[in-house]
Amino acid sequence: MALTRFSVSLDKDLVRQFDARIRADRCPTRSKAVGDLIRSALVQTEWHASEEVAGALVLVYDHHKRDLVKKLTEVQHDQHTAIISTQHIHLDHDNCLEIVAVRGTPDIIAALVQRLKALKGLKHVALAAGTTGRRLA
Ligand code: NI
């Protein structure tokens, strides 16, 4: 990996806050912290473009809720092209945690999230918007 050095001029207080955050996160260097921020911004850019992205959906629900499991299965089958895999964890007697790995264009994944959020009875729906990694250094 070829490295490039560049200098940046920033507000002194902003740098102090950034360094405090780096220490709290136990990030080893400013360079790594800045690189992570740049990658994070680039991943957000991928989600605003129409190229392939990847991520994970986290769902929490009570499997006793009437018809919920059936509806969840229907939605996932309808959107199967965006779903790589699903992991189901029985958290306790009532609650289930489902992790749905997704890959596709942002609009297809957004449509899946929208349909899941529209279902009654889900306690939690969250999307970790990630990347395929192909366009990132
Ligand atoms: Ni379960």
PDB file of all heavy atoms in Angstrom, residues 61 63 88-91 95-97, ligand 1:
ATOM      1  N   TYR A  61     -38.312  -9.448  17.295  1.00  0.00           N
ATOM      2  CA  TYR A  61     -39.769  -9.577  17.353  1.00  0.00           C
ATOM      3  C   TYR A  61     -40.185 -10.741  18.246  1.00  0.00           C
ATOM      4  O   TYR A  61     -39.389 -11.629  18.548  1.00  0.00           O
ATOM      5  CB  TYR A  61     -40.347  -9.772  15.939  1.00  0.00           C
ATOM      6  CG  TYR A  61     -39.795 -10.964  15.193  1.00  0.00           C
ATOM      7  CD1 TYR A  61     -40.417 -12.214  15.275  1.00  0.00           C
ATOM      8  CD2 TYR A  61     -38.651 -10.850  14.412  1.00  0.00           C
ATOM      9  CE1 TYR A  61     -39.918 -13.305  14.601  1.00  0.00           C
ATOM     10  CE2 TYR A  61     -38.138 -11.940  13.728  1.00  0.00           C
ATOM     11  CZ  TYR A  61     -38.779 -13.167  13.829  1.00  0.00           C
ATOM     12  OH  TYR A  61     -38.270 -14.243  13.164  1.00  0.00           O
ATOM     13  N   HIS A  63     -42.208 -13.931  18.387  1.00  0.00           N
ATOM     14  CA  HIS A  63     -42.709 -14.865  17.359  1.00  0.00           C
ATOM     15  C   HIS A  63     -44.147 -15.321  17.613  1.00  0.00           C
ATOM     16  O   HIS A  63     -44.762 -15.959  16.765  1.00  0.00           O
ATOM     17  CB  HIS A  63     -41.767 -16.071  17.220  1.00  0.00           C
ATOM     18  CG  HIS A  63     -41.784 -17.002  18.378  1.00  0.00           C
ATOM     19  ND1 HIS A  63     -42.542 -18.146  18.392  1.00  0.00           N
ATOM     20  CD2 HIS A  63     -41.158 -16.939  19.572  1.00  0.00           C
ATOM     21  CE1 HIS A  63     -42.358 -18.766  19.544  1.00  0.00           C
ATOM     22  NE2 HIS A  63     -41.518 -18.045  20.279  1.00  0.00           N
ATOM     23  N   HIS A  88     -31.256 -16.738  12.437  1.00  0.00           N
ATOM     24  CA  HIS A  88     -32.327 -16.584  13.423  1.00  0.00           C
ATOM     25  C   HIS A  88     -31.821 -17.057  14.775  1.00  0.00           C
ATOM     26  O   HIS A  88     -31.285 -18.154  14.895  1.00  0.00           O
ATOM     27  CB  HIS A  88     -33.532 -17.417  12.990  1.00  0.00           C
ATOM     28  CG  HIS A  88     -34.713 -17.250  13.875  1.00  0.00           C
ATOM     29  ND1 HIS A  88     -35.818 -16.536  13.505  1.00  0.00           N
ATOM     30  CD2 HIS A  88     -34.950 -17.688  15.137  1.00  0.00           C
ATOM     31  CE1 HIS A  88     -36.688 -16.539  14.488  1.00  0.00           C
ATOM     32  NE2 HIS A  88     -36.193 -17.240  15.489  1.00  0.00           N
ATOM     33  N   ILE A  89     -31.970 -16.198  15.772  1.00  0.00           N
ATOM     34  CA  ILE A  89     -31.544 -16.559  17.130  1.00  0.00           C
ATOM     35  C   ILE A  89     -32.756 -16.461  18.053  1.00  0.00           C
ATOM     36  O   ILE A  89     -33.430 -15.424  18.091  1.00  0.00           O
ATOM     37  CB  ILE A  89     -30.422 -15.610  17.635  1.00  0.00           C
ATOM     38  CG1 ILE A  89     -29.179 -15.747  16.751  1.00  0.00           C
ATOM     39  CG2 ILE A  89     -30.068 -15.889  19.080  1.00  0.00           C
ATOM     40  CD1 ILE A  89     -28.901 -14.578  15.885  1.00  0.00           C
ATOM     41  N   HIS A  90     -33.037 -17.509  18.803  1.00  0.00           N
ATOM     42  CA  HIS A  90     -34.126 -17.478  19.787  1.00  0.00           C
ATOM     43  C   HIS A  90     -33.564 -16.849  21.057  1.00  0.00           C
ATOM     44  O   HIS A  90     -32.827 -17.489  21.803  1.00  0.00           O
ATOM     45  CB  HIS A  90     -34.625 -18.895  20.083  1.00  0.00           C
ATOM     46  CG  HIS A  90     -34.936 -19.687  18.850  1.00  0.00           C
ATOM     47  ND1 HIS A  90     -35.864 -19.283  17.910  1.00  0.00           N
ATOM     48  CD2 HIS A  90     -34.426 -20.853  18.389  1.00  0.00           C
ATOM     49  CE1 HIS A  90     -35.912 -20.167  16.938  1.00  0.00           C
ATOM     50  NE2 HIS A  90     -35.043 -21.128  17.203  1.00  0.00           N
ATOM     51  N   LEU A  91     -33.882 -15.589  21.300  1.00  0.00           N
ATOM     52  CA  LEU A  91     -33.305 -14.861  22.433  1.00  0.00           C
ATOM     53  C   LEU A  91     -33.829 -15.380  23.773  1.00  0.00           C
ATOM     54  O   LEU A  91     -33.079 -15.474  24.748  1.00  0.00           O
ATOM     55  CB  LEU A  91     -33.614 -13.366  22.321  1.00  0.00           C
ATOM     56  CG  LEU A  91     -32.916 -12.610  21.193  1.00  0.00           C
ATOM     57  CD1 LEU A  91     -33.443 -11.182  21.115  1.00  0.00           C
ATOM     58  CD2 LEU A  91     -31.412 -12.618  21.389  1.00  0.00           C
ATOM     59  N   ASN A  95     -38.897 -13.829  22.416  1.00  0.00           N
ATOM     60  CA  ASN A  95     -38.227 -12.925  21.475  1.00  0.00           C
ATOM     61  C   ASN A  95     -37.226 -13.613  20.554  1.00  0.00           C
ATOM     62  O   ASN A  95     -36.457 -14.474  20.986  1.00  0.00           O
ATOM     63  CB  ASN A  95     -37.504 -11.822  22.261  1.00  0.00           C
ATOM     64  CG  ASN A  95     -38.487 -10.922  22.964  1.00  0.00           C
ATOM     65  OD1 ASN A  95     -39.252 -10.205  22.321  1.00  0.00           O
ATOM     66  ND2 ASN A  95     -38.495 -10.974  24.291  1.00  0.00           N
ATOM     67  N   CYS A  96     -37.261 -13.155  19.308  1.00  0.00           N
ATOM     68  CA  CYS A  96     -36.338 -13.662  18.298  1.00  0.00           C
ATOM     69  C   CYS A  96     -35.491 -12.502  17.776  1.00  0.00           C
ATOM     70  O   CYS A  96     -35.971 -11.372  17.639  1.00  0.00           O
ATOM     71  CB  CYS A  96     -37.103 -14.232  17.109  1.00  0.00           C
ATOM     72  SG  CYS A  96     -38.250 -15.546  17.552  1.00  0.00           S
ATOM     73  N   LEU A  97     -34.243 -12.791  17.467  1.00  0.00           N
ATOM     74  CA  LEU A  97     -33.352 -11.845  16.808  1.00  0.00           C
ATOM     75  C   LEU A  97     -33.036 -12.424  15.441  1.00  0.00           C
ATOM     76  O   LEU A  97     -32.660 -13.601  15.333  1.00  0.00           O
ATOM     77  CB  LEU A  97     -32.050 -11.687  17.606  1.00  0.00           C
ATOM     78  CG  LEU A  97     -30.927 -10.896  16.931  1.00  0.00           C
ATOM     79  CD1 LEU A  97     -31.242  -9.412  16.920  1.00  0.00           C
ATOM     80  CD2 LEU A  97     -29.607 -11.129  17.651  1.00  0.00           C
TER      81      LEU A  97
HETATM   82 NI    NI B   1     -36.990 -17.559  17.464  1.00  0.00          NI
END
